[in-house]
Tab-separated table of all heavy atoms in Angstrom:
chain	number	residue	atom	x	y	z
A	578	PRO	N	-22.059	20.596	20.048
A	578	PRO	CA	-20.766	20.881	19.501
A	578	PRO	C	-20.627	20.179	18.143
A	578	PRO	O	-20.911	19.023	17.923
A	578	PRO	CB	-19.830	20.280	20.491
A	578	PRO	CG	-20.617	19.262	21.256
A	578	PRO	CD	-22.054	19.773	21.243
A	603	LEU	N	-24.101	11.009	11.924
A	603	LEU	CA	-23.236	10.864	13.174
A	603	LEU	C	-22.433	12.058	13.456
A	603	LEU	O	-22.135	12.381	14.554
A	603	LEU	CB	-22.293	9.626	12.918
A	603	LEU	CG	-21.336	9.304	14.097
A	603	LEU	CD1	-22.109	8.689	15.239
A	603	LEU	CD2	-20.248	8.277	13.586
A	604	ASN	N	-22.131	12.770	12.446
A	604	ASN	CA	-21.121	13.912	12.549
A	604	ASN	C	-21.695	15.315	12.376
A	604	ASN	O	-21.217	16.314	13.001
A	604	ASN	CB	-19.973	13.738	11.626
A	604	ASN	CG	-18.709	14.256	12.003
A	604	ASN	OD1	-17.752	14.350	11.198
A	604	ASN	ND2	-18.601	14.751	13.212
A	680	GLY	N	-6.705	15.415	26.485
A	680	GLY	CA	-7.415	14.535	25.729
A	680	GLY	C	-8.999	14.769	25.744
A	680	GLY	O	-9.711	13.858	25.450
A	682	THR	N	-10.947	16.444	23.910
A	682	THR	CA	-11.705	16.672	22.735
A	682	THR	C	-11.621	15.422	21.797
A	682	THR	O	-11.096	14.463	22.223
A	682	THR	CB	-10.993	17.936	21.950
A	682	THR	OG1	-11.829	18.194	20.789
A	682	THR	CG2	-9.624	17.677	21.571
A	683	CYS	N	-12.148	15.492	20.608
A	683	CYS	CA	-12.133	14.315	19.787
A	683	CYS	C	-11.701	14.823	18.291
A	683	CYS	O	-11.785	16.059	18.052
A	683	CYS	CB	-13.474	13.601	19.652
A	683	CYS	SG	-14.070	13.220	21.271
A	684	HIS	N	-11.370	13.940	17.430
A	684	HIS	CA	-10.993	14.293	16.120
A	684	HIS	C	-12.124	14.796	15.323
A	684	HIS	O	-12.026	15.628	14.411
A	684	HIS	CB	-10.423	13.050	15.379
A	684	HIS	CG	-9.009	12.709	15.837
A	684	HIS	ND1	-7.901	13.466	15.652
A	684	HIS	CD2	-8.559	11.686	16.574
A	684	HIS	CE1	-6.827	12.885	16.234
A	684	HIS	NE2	-7.249	11.770	16.786
A	685	ALA	N	-13.369	14.334	15.725
A	685	ALA	CA	-14.595	14.864	15.198
A	685	ALA	C	-15.599	14.654	16.313
A	685	ALA	O	-15.285	13.822	17.221
A	685	ALA	CB	-14.956	14.169	13.933
A	686	HIS	N	-16.681	15.305	16.358
A	686	HIS	CA	-17.713	15.064	17.424
A	686	HIS	C	-18.923	14.340	16.951
A	686	HIS	O	-19.453	14.568	15.843
A	686	HIS	CB	-18.180	16.336	18.007
A	686	HIS	CG	-17.091	17.008	18.877
A	686	HIS	ND1	-16.257	16.384	19.646
A	686	HIS	CD2	-16.857	18.337	19.061
A	686	HIS	CE1	-15.385	17.157	20.235
A	686	HIS	NE2	-15.690	18.398	19.981
A	687	CYS	N	-19.360	13.377	17.719
A	687	CYS	CA	-20.525	12.544	17.393
A	687	CYS	C	-21.814	13.360	17.873
A	687	CYS	O	-21.857	13.859	19.014
A	687	CYS	CB	-20.571	11.202	18.099
A	687	CYS	SG	-18.969	10.327	17.804
A	688	THR	N	-22.777	13.320	17.043
A	688	THR	CA	-23.995	14.174	17.411
A	688	THR	C	-24.673	13.596	18.570
A	688	THR	O	-25.412	14.276	19.280
A	688	THR	CB	-24.896	14.228	16.220
A	688	THR	OG1	-24.974	12.878	15.581
A	688	THR	CG2	-24.509	15.261	15.216
A	689	PHE	N	-24.530	12.252	18.848
A	689	PHE	CA	-25.345	11.661	19.991
A	689	PHE	C	-24.585	11.691	21.282
A	689	PHE	O	-25.064	11.340	22.316
A	689	PHE	CB	-25.637	10.195	19.619
A	689	PHE	CG	-24.431	9.310	19.776
A	689	PHE	CD1	-24.044	8.760	20.960
A	689	PHE	CD2	-23.643	9.042	18.604
A	689	PHE	CE1	-22.883	7.979	21.067
A	689	PHE	CE2	-22.504	8.273	18.778
A	689	PHE	CZ	-22.180	7.766	19.940
A	690	CYS	N	-23.346	12.176	21.327
A	690	CYS	CA	-22.432	11.933	22.358
A	690	CYS	C	-22.943	12.326	23.764
A	690	CYS	O	-23.358	13.441	24.003
A	690	CYS	CB	-21.106	12.646	22.173
A	690	CYS	SG	-19.898	12.311	23.451
A	691	PHE	N	-22.815	11.383	24.740
A	691	PHE	CA	-23.187	11.749	26.132
A	691	PHE	C	-22.094	12.621	26.782
A	691	PHE	O	-22.354	13.166	27.920
A	691	PHE	CB	-23.554	10.481	26.873
A	691	PHE	CG	-22.349	9.709	27.386
A	691	PHE	CD1	-21.796	9.984	28.607
A	691	PHE	CD2	-21.800	8.681	26.633
A	691	PHE	CE1	-20.779	9.240	29.074
A	691	PHE	CE2	-20.716	7.968	27.070
A	691	PHE	CZ	-20.185	8.260	28.323
A	692	ARG	N	-20.970	12.790	26.241
A	692	ARG	CA	-19.926	13.626	26.825
A	692	ARG	C	-19.945	15.017	26.306
A	692	ARG	O	-19.034	15.771	26.516
A	692	ARG	CB	-18.558	12.987	26.701
A	692	ARG	CG	-18.525	11.640	27.484
A	692	ARG	CD	-17.179	11.202	27.841
A	692	ARG	NE	-17.215	10.260	28.877
A	692	ARG	CZ	-16.593	9.083	28.855
A	692	ARG	NH1	-15.929	8.738	27.903
A	692	ARG	NH2	-16.835	8.199	29.861
A	693	TRP	N	-20.993	15.335	25.502
A	693	TRP	CA	-20.923	16.607	24.809
A	693	TRP	C	-20.811	17.853	25.717
A	693	TRP	O	-20.140	18.800	25.259
A	693	TRP	CB	-22.262	16.738	23.959
A	693	TRP	CG	-23.504	16.807	24.780
A	693	TRP	CD1	-24.251	15.737	25.177
A	693	TRP	CD2	-24.220	17.940	25.335
A	693	TRP	NE1	-25.282	16.174	25.927
A	693	TRP	CE2	-25.293	17.446	26.042
A	693	TRP	CE3	-23.965	19.341	25.144
A	693	TRP	CZ2	-26.176	18.332	26.643
A	693	TRP	CZ3	-24.902	20.173	25.846
A	693	TRP	CH2	-25.956	19.627	26.542
A	695	GLN	N	-18.600	18.268	27.854
A	695	GLN	CA	-17.182	18.512	27.945
A	695	GLN	C	-16.610	19.324	26.839
A	695	GLN	O	-15.526	19.881	26.898
A	695	GLN	CB	-16.414	17.167	28.110
A	695	GLN	CG	-16.570	16.513	29.428
A	695	GLN	CD	-16.233	15.089	29.372
A	695	GLN	OE1	-16.981	14.176	29.649
A	695	GLN	NE2	-14.924	14.817	29.061
A	696	PHE	N	-17.358	19.348	25.683
A	696	PHE	CA	-16.801	20.012	24.502
A	696	PHE	C	-17.317	21.441	24.268
A	696	PHE	O	-16.811	22.160	23.461
A	696	PHE	CB	-17.224	19.241	23.187
A	696	PHE	CG	-16.870	17.750	23.308
A	696	PHE	CD1	-17.786	16.822	22.917
A	696	PHE	CD2	-15.628	17.332	23.809
A	696	PHE	CE1	-17.553	15.483	23.002
A	696	PHE	CE2	-15.424	15.957	23.932
A	696	PHE	CZ	-16.340	15.066	23.538
A	728	THR	N	-9.574	8.010	29.045
A	728	THR	CA	-10.749	8.347	28.307
A	728	THR	C	-10.883	9.833	28.099
A	728	THR	O	-9.971	10.583	28.433
A	728	THR	CB	-12.023	7.681	28.875
A	728	THR	OG1	-13.087	7.974	28.182
A	728	THR	CG2	-12.243	8.204	30.386
A	729	GLY	N	-11.971	10.331	27.587
A	729	GLY	CA	-11.992	11.721	27.209
A	729	GLY	C	-13.449	12.196	27.055
A	729	GLY	O	-14.308	11.741	27.800
A	730	GLY	N	-13.673	12.863	25.948
A	730	GLY	CA	-12.958	13.059	24.705
A	730	GLY	C	-12.386	11.716	24.199
A	730	GLY	O	-12.882	10.665	24.313
A	731	ASP	N	-11.238	11.976	23.596
A	731	ASP	CA	-10.565	10.848	22.994
A	731	ASP	C	-9.048	11.025	23.274
A	731	ASP	O	-8.416	11.953	22.836
A	731	ASP	CB	-10.741	10.849	21.465
A	731	ASP	CG	-10.229	9.587	20.816
A	731	ASP	OD1	-9.229	8.982	21.311
A	731	ASP	OD2	-10.714	9.251	19.711
A	761	GLY	N	-9.918	4.349	25.659
A	761	GLY	CA	-11.196	4.514	25.043
A	761	GLY	C	-11.144	5.519	23.890
A	761	GLY	O	-10.762	6.632	24.088
A	762	THR	N	-11.331	5.014	22.720
A	762	THR	CA	-10.999	5.939	21.593
A	762	THR	C	-11.906	5.683	20.307
A	762	THR	O	-12.362	4.554	20.036
A	762	THR	CB	-9.558	5.782	21.126
A	762	THR	OG1	-9.270	6.585	20.049
A	762	THR	CG2	-9.278	4.314	20.703
A	763	LYS	N	-12.141	6.707	19.609
A	763	LYS	CA	-12.800	6.631	18.274
A	763	LYS	C	-11.890	7.026	17.164
A	763	LYS	O	-12.204	7.226	16.023
A	763	LYS	CB	-14.083	7.450	18.243
A	763	LYS	CG	-14.968	7.171	17.087
A	763	LYS	CD	-16.413	7.706	17.171
A	763	LYS	CE	-17.136	7.530	15.838
A	763	LYS	NZ	-17.304	6.103	15.461
A	764	SER	N	-10.549	7.090	17.411
A	764	SER	CA	-9.615	7.555	16.499
A	764	SER	C	-9.437	6.600	15.241
A	764	SER	O	-9.177	6.999	14.151
A	764	SER	CB	-8.193	7.732	17.093
A	764	SER	OG	-7.870	6.540	17.786
A	766	SER	N	-11.860	5.280	13.762
A	766	SER	CA	-12.847	5.680	12.716
A	766	SER	C	-12.784	7.189	12.355
A	766	SER	O	-13.298	7.568	11.263
A	766	SER	CB	-14.274	5.290	13.027
A	766	SER	OG	-14.750	5.745	14.252
A	767	TYR	N	-12.199	8.059	13.242
A	767	TYR	CA	-12.168	9.462	12.904
A	767	TYR	C	-10.776	9.985	12.489
A	767	TYR	O	-10.669	11.017	11.916
A	767	TYR	CB	-12.631	10.270	14.085
A	767	TYR	CG	-14.194	10.398	14.217
A	767	TYR	CD1	-14.724	10.904	15.478
A	767	TYR	CD2	-15.062	10.079	13.291
A	767	TYR	CE1	-16.086	10.994	15.634
A	767	TYR	CE2	-16.399	10.256	13.366
A	767	TYR	CZ	-16.975	10.664	14.671
A	767	TYR	OH	-18.252	10.845	14.825
A	802	HIS	N	-14.485	2.597	19.321
A	802	HIS	CA	-15.832	2.962	19.091
A	802	HIS	C	-16.060	2.981	17.557
A	802	HIS	O	-15.506	3.764	16.844
A	802	HIS	CB	-15.914	4.321	19.701
A	802	HIS	CG	-17.309	4.968	19.599
A	802	HIS	ND1	-17.538	6.222	20.009
A	802	HIS	CD2	-18.450	4.488	19.055
A	802	HIS	CE1	-18.801	6.452	19.741
A	802	HIS	NE2	-19.335	5.497	19.136
A	804	ASN	N	-19.447	2.884	14.929
A	804	ASN	CA	-20.940	2.945	14.909
A	804	ASN	C	-21.534	2.301	13.671
A	804	ASN	O	-22.779	2.026	13.655
A	804	ASN	CB	-21.412	4.439	14.963
A	804	ASN	CG	-21.008	5.053	16.184
A	804	ASN	OD1	-19.965	5.736	16.253
A	804	ASN	ND2	-21.782	4.959	17.259
A	833	PRO	N	-23.186	2.414	20.855
A	833	PRO	CA	-24.639	2.367	21.145
A	833	PRO	C	-25.449	2.028	19.883
A	833	PRO	O	-24.973	2.335	18.746
A	833	PRO	CB	-24.919	3.694	21.630
A	833	PRO	CG	-23.901	4.623	20.925
A	833	PRO	CD	-22.679	3.776	20.706
B	1252	SF4	S1	-15.696	10.170	19.899
B	1252	SF4	FE1	-16.655	9.449	21.710
B	1252	SF4	S2	-16.342	11.120	23.191
B	1252	SF4	FE2	-15.796	11.951	21.192
B	1252	SF4	S3	-17.799	12.813	20.466
B	1252	SF4	FE3	-17.793	10.727	19.743
B	1252	SF4	S4	-18.803	9.535	21.365
B	1252	SF4	FE4	-18.229	11.521	22.210
Side-chain angles (χ1 to χ4, degrees):
L603 181 69
N604 207 188
T682 182
C683 306
H684 289 291
H686 288 326
C687 309
T688 40
F689 74 85
C690 178
F691 77 91
R692 294 202 164 128
W693 63 275
Q695 285 165 240
F696 311 133
T728 182
D731 188 333
T762 181
K763 194 165 168 62
S764 54
S766 56
Y767 278 165
H802 176 186
N804 298 90

